[in-house]
Amino acid sequence: MLVKLTLLVILGATALAQPQNAAPQNADWTRTFPPFRIIGNIFWVGSYDLSSYLITTPQGHILINTGVGDTAKQIKASVEALGFTLADTKILTATHGHFDHVAGMAELKRMTGARLVVSEADKQLLESGGAADFRFGDTPGARFEPVKVDQTFKDSDTISLGGTVLTAHHHPGHTKGATSFTLNVQESGKTYRVVIANMGSINPGVTVGGMAKYPGITEDYARTFKAQKDMQIDVWLASHASQFKLHEKYKPGDAFNPDRFVDPQGFKASVERLEKTYLEQLARERALK
């Protein structure tokens, strides 16, 4: 097996009106959903709303994101329902280190023996079990089992396994190490550029004009929106099903369609809406100073 890591992902999608000392919750995070093939070697193995992606290769698999609740068992069942073996997973990674996307990492690491490879800026977040988070660090409901990170990546680094190459794009703001991944997949003789995007949503209680534990948040969000608007992609996926309208585009039992999630215009429009929300909140915060 050749695993090559060269020098070389959301709470905000469901963050409704929550008390500021509480972690966001959503029943759809633990609601089961049948696994299915998205395109090429990319499969959905997540819950109804929390995205978990299995990327299969001849030399083992990559798993992006977990979830909450009995997520490890649910993911194992989904992987097996697709005809794959969870133990063949060689690399675990995540779009960002909030509990709803990484709470199952420690158990999945034990189950698979896979290496955990995450953004350098979110390493402390995973290894502290959420305690290092700038917003939810003092929120018990946002804690999870700490997990040892084996390797980290930075912006533009790549993760390679079995002929599949993921490029990491550092898109901070939602967390300090929030990451989107891009890869090319082949389907019916056509090449598709896929993004698994960590969208720039803003959690309740976050001050985008600057926070004591994240003084650079203003600039980070601004850079993320600019970078995402400049991305050239075909297939749009994200950290939450609701963010890329999975349930409007796909119903269980639908015939496979490689163009189902081709939506570059929808991706750009979503980024622009989130940027507008950010700018309006920033203006309100500055007006109060």
Side-chain angles (χ1 to χ4, degrees):
M1 181 215 43
L2 174 64
V3 179
K4 180 182 179 183
L5 180 71
T6 62
L7 259 180
L8 272 164
V9 274
I10 282 186
L11 296 175
T14 50
L16 307 176
Q18 300 280 345
Q20 293 214 355
N21 62 345
Q25 300 291 335
N26 189 315
D28 286 341
W29 289 357
T30 53
R31 179 179 170 188
T32 59
F33 192 76
F36 67 98
R37 184 161 77 101
I38 297 171
I39 188 171
N41 59 338
I42 306 174
F43 298 80
W44 178 273
V45 292
S47 68
Y48 187 86
D49 184 62
L50 293 181
S51 306
S52 294
Y53 299 100
L54 181 73
I55 301 176
T56 63
T57 86
Q59 295 176 1
H61 313 317
I62 301 169
L63 181 66
I64 302 176
N65 290 351
T66 65
V68 292
D70 290 331
T71 180
K73 295 176 183 177
Q74 292 173 7
I75 289 173
K76 182 176 186 293
S78 292
V79 169
E80 291 176 348
L82 291 167
F84 301 107
T85 302
L86 182 66
D88 288 337
T89 303
K90 304 303 181 185
I91 298 173
L92 299 169
T93 189
T95 53
H96 68 279
H98 279 151
F99 74 103
D100 54 330
H101 303 285
V102 299
M105 281 296 184
E107 186 173 359
L108 280 163
K109 192 175 181 185
R110 288 191 293 270
M111 292 169 70
T112 63
R115 293 174 58 78
L116 178 58
V117 185
V118 302
S119 168
E120 183 177 280
D122 267 4
K123 176 183 177 182
Q124 186 182 11
L125 184 50
L126 275 84
E127 294 192 333
S128 70
D133 186 60
F134 71 90
R135 166 62 183 88
F136 294 108
D138 297 324
T139 304
R143 297 292 184 84
F144 51 89
E145 183 181 354
V147 56
K148 174 67 176 177
V149 173
D150 297 297
Q151 198 162 351
T152 62
F153 54 73
K154 297 180 181 179
D155 186 47
S156 299
D157 287 351
T158 61
I159 300 172
S160 300
L161 181 67
T164 292
V165 181
L166 299 179
T167 299
H169 303 265
H170 187 210
H171 288 160
H174 192 72
T175 66
K176 294 179 181 179
T179 299
S180 300
F181 297 99
T182 55
L183 68 157
N184 291 330
V185 300
Q186 303 292 321
E187 189 66 62
S188 301
K190 181 178 177 180
T191 300
Y192 293 80
R193 184 69 168 169
V194 179
V195 64
I196 300 173
N198 197 84
M199 309 303 291
S201 55
I202 303 166
N203 280 312
V206 169
T207 304
V208 297
M211 301 182 72
K213 294 182 179 180
Y214 194 171
I217 190 171
T218 309
E219 296 76 17
D220 277 357
Y221 263 115
R223 281 194 294 268
T224 288
F225 293 128
K226 182 182 185 305
Q228 291 186 338
K229 286 189 294 184
D230 288 342
M231 296 183 86
Q232 301 298 314
I233 61 98
D234 300 307
V235 174
W236 172 33
L237 308 173
S239 300
H240 288 262
S242 53
Q243 290 177 324
F244 67 103
K245 300 181 179 180
L246 180 151
H247 300 295
E248 294 180 22
K249 299 172 180 176
Y250 172 81
K251 305 295 182 187
D254 282 351
F256 173 71
N257 177 2
D259 294 325
R260 187 179 304 282
F261 297 105
V262 171
D263 192 7
Q265 293 81 17
F267 173 58
K268 184 177 180 181
S270 181
V271 173
E272 290 174 343
R273 284 193 298 271
L274 290 166
E275 183 180 37
K276 182 174 183 289
T277 299
Y278 155 81
L279 291 171
E280 290 173 347
Q281 179 172 329
L282 182 60
R284 289 194 302 272
E285 291 174 5
R286 287 176 172 172
L288 293 174
K289 289 186 178 180

